[in-house]
């Protein structure tokens, strides 16, 4: 097992290298100058050129790539152009929201998809199976952006039961009630995925 995992990891290295080269090249093909963005419209040409030299943007692209790779291997992802903060700090600020949202979504998918799939297979051919299959097709067909907006208008705005947006940090405040901000997004993300799990569980049990 360990040898298999090691082979898979080693096999992924060329893919990562090729992907990093393509992404790095595509970013440089995008119109615009990072130095101009960072300094704003009021900066003159000398200030922009000085910042380009400071950031190493005046160097050949291959040299920029090697410098970037060496820093990434050391855990340095650079500084965000828009936030003017280290990239790792920006990622860390959004990691809590992403982690809680992913956890909530997975809980909903498992608690809804697996039992519903078992029930649908157990009562195969009955009205219960037909009803669950119809709901599965419905939720699999609903666009997530439309479902999210619908939940905001009905549950958050219309009924006032849940917040419309935002997510105050739970780890910093220690207030678990802030998790209510993630209920609507978790429902929106779990609906189509729960439908998929229901179909897979039902098909597996019938087989």
């Amino acid at each position: 097992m360990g040898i298999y995992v090691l082979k898979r990891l080693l096999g992924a290295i060329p893919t990562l290298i090729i992907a990093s080269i393509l992404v790095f090249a595509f970013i440089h093909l995008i119109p615009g100058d990072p130095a101009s963005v960072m300094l704003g419209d009021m900066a003159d040409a000398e200030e922009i050129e000085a910042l380009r030299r400071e950031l190493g943007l005046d160097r050949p692209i291959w040299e920029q790539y090697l410098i970037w790779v060496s820093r990434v291997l050391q855990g340095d992802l650079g500084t965000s152009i828009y936030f003017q903060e280290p990239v790792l700090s920006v990622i860390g600020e959004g990691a809590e929201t992403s982690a809680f949202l992913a956890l909530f979504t997975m809980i909903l998918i498992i608690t809804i998809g697996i039992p519903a799939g078992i029930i649908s297979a157990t009562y195969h051919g009955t009205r219960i199976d037909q009803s669950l299959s119809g709901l599965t097709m419905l939720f699999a067909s609903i666009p997530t952006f439309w479902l999210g907006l619908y939940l905001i208008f009905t549950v958050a705005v219309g009924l006032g039961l849940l917040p419309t947006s935002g997510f105050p940090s739970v780890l910093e405040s220690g207030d678990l009630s802030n998790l209510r901000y993630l209920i609507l997004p978790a429902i929106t993300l779990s609906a189509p995925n729960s439908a998929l799990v229901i179909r897979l569980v039902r098909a597996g049990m019938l087989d």
Side-chain angles (χ1 to χ4, degrees):
M1 182 65 182
I3 297 177
Y4 172 77
V5 173
L6 181 61
K7 288 182 178 179
R8 297 292 294 180
L9 292 175
L10 293 176
I13 293 177
T15 303
L16 292 174
I17 294 175
I18 295 173
S20 66
I21 293 174
L22 291 176
V23 171
F24 196 85
F26 287 150
I27 290 176
H28 281 71
L29 292 175
I30 297 175
D33 185 5
S36 302
V37 174
M38 295 176 67
L39 294 176
D41 298 332
M42 302 301 295
D44 55 32
E46 294 182 357
E47 293 175 335
I48 294 175
E49 187 60 31
L51 183 58
R52 285 180 57 82
R53 287 195 299 270
E54 180 181 346
L55 297 176
L57 298 176
D58 59 332
R59 300 180 181 181
I61 186 172
W62 63 267
E63 187 175 349
Q64 295 182 44
Y65 174 77
L66 293 178
I67 294 174
W68 174 75
V69 170
S70 64
R71 291 178 178 176
V72 168
L73 293 177
Q74 298 174 22
D76 180 11
L77 299 182
T79 303
S80 172
I81 296 175
Y82 295 99
F83 295 98
Q84 297 298 310
E85 297 179 7
V87 173
L88 284 178
S89 299
V90 176
I91 294 175
E93 291 174 0
E96 179 187 356
T97 306
S98 300
F100 276 117
L101 182 57
L103 178 62
F104 272 27
T105 303
M106 287 299 300
I107 291 174
L108 288 176
I109 292 173
I110 293 173
T111 54
I112 295 174
I114 295 178
I118 294 174
I119 294 173
S120 181
T122 303
Y123 296 94
H124 174 62
T126 64
R127 292 184 178 180
I128 296 177
D129 180 29
Q130 294 173 359
S131 300
L132 288 174
S133 297
L135 289 175
T136 298
M137 293 297 295
L138 175 64
F139 284 111
S141 304
I142 295 178
T144 52
F145 71 88
W146 183 89
L147 179 59
L149 291 175
Y150 178 78
L151 292 175
I152 290 175
F153 283 124
T154 56
V155 179
V157 177
L159 300 176
L161 297 177
L162 293 171
T164 57
S165 62
F167 177 64
S169 175
V170 174
L171 300 180
E172 293 181 2
S173 63
D175 186 4
L176 294 178
S177 64
N178 290 338
L179 293 176
R180 70 185 188 276
Y181 285 83
L182 299 179
I183 294 177
L184 292 184
I187 294 175
T188 302
L189 293 175
S190 64
N193 294 289
S194 296
L196 176 61
V197 171
I198 292 173
R199 297 172 64 180
L200 291 176
V201 173
R202 179 181 181 274
M205 288 196 63
L206 290 177
D207 288 340

